[in-house]
Amino acid sequence: MANVLAVTEQKGGSLRKVSLEVVTAARRLADGLGGRVDALVVGAPGVDATSANLGGAGADRVVVATDPSFAHYQADGYAATVAAQVRRGGYAAVVFAATASGRDLAPRVAVRLDVPLAVDVTELGVEAGKVVCTRPVYAGKALQMVRLDATPALVSVRPNTFPVAPGHGGAGAPTTETVAAETAVARVIVKELKAAEQGSLDVAEAPIVVSGGRGMKGPEHFHLIEELAKAFGNAAVGASRAVVDAGWRPHGEQVGQTGKTVSPSLYIAVGISGAIQHLAGMRTAKTIVAINRDKDAPIFKVADYGIVGDAFEVLPALIEAVRKARAG
Ligand code: FAD
């Protein structure tokens, strides 16, 4: 069997954008292995498996497993459900998203299936019938090439590294099948979800990220970072650990080794020195812009464009320029 399972993610009953990236990565493996892509949607009854074009991203079949306790990510039940589907489908490979919940889910499934897992993969393919992948290690300083000999081969892919290729889908819409959810004894229960501000983008998924560091001098100045993000229209606000630890910004915005890993098209680091732990979370961004008043700051070593200057002078001018460019 050379079929591949793509484990999608949903929020509030709608599929998240990263689900399409997972299907795209799964499609690449299935093409190499000569099999089909099944996209697994796990959620509460009513979850909308059509809220993203899974077929367009390359899914041949959509498999839906629901239970009322699955409205939010629920570690034990989700892991049991995914593992059961993998056993049922006899897949050659399984692809997860290396998101916050994917990082929790994938290892639990790997343990249940007793197979290894390659996490946070940025490139993958098939060589001589085996899944091979590339993953950044040592805080992004080196790239590790991994060949997975076990079956199924389990990988989690870094968000924003497998852009959806339009029109990749096969002929027609994918078929949909419903399977039973496994509601294992829930040892972890989600009691409350504190939603981010309405309309704000997740830093791990946004195509543009504007991050502020200790150089912003205090939480009262982060409105400049927010204004720049807003001026772009499709940007999220990020932060260094120094400012999160200081309580200036929520942990959900932290980028880096102990925060989120981001791979946006554009990453703007403002008043961030560029410590290795911060670079670990953003060095795979396509274009990096650094604004820092210290010309020797390490962030300039990874930046594609650097502005040596005071953030409080540069940011207002940049906000104005972006607003004008978008208006014109
Ligand atoms: P600083 O290092 O203090 O840098 C501030 C920068 O602002 C300086 O370069 C300065 O020149 C510049 N600046 C000052 N004033 C201005 C101005 N007016 N205009 C323009 N520039 C100005 N860090 C993370 O970010 N993410 C992580 O996930 C993370 N995980 C860690 C895990 C471990 C185990 C450890 C030990 C550390 C971790 N860190 C992490 C912390 C990391 O080592 C740094 O301490 C942190 O990234 C520094 O944050 P910063 O760049 O905002 O602050």
Side-chain angles (χ1 to χ4, degrees), residues 159-171:
N160 278 330
T161 52
F162 290 89
V164 182
H168 203 313

Side-chain angles (χ1 to χ4, degrees), residues 212-217 239-243 245 248 251 254-260 267 270-281 291-299 307-314:
R214 194 147 40 191
M216 290 307 294
K217 308 289 188 221
S240 70
R241 176 165 164 177
V243 309
D245 282 356
W248 299 358
H251 183 260
Q254 185 180 318
V255 172
Q257 190 178 316
T258 44
K260 289 184 177 161
Y267 187 86
V270 189
I272 292 177
S273 57
I276 178 105
Q277 296 90 354
H278 187 82
L279 301 185
I291 303 169
N292 199 302
R293 67 175 184 193
D294 173 10
K295 69 172 174 43
D296 297 319
I299 190 79
I307 302 175
V308 179
D310 189 321
F312 301 101
E313 288 170 17
V314 177

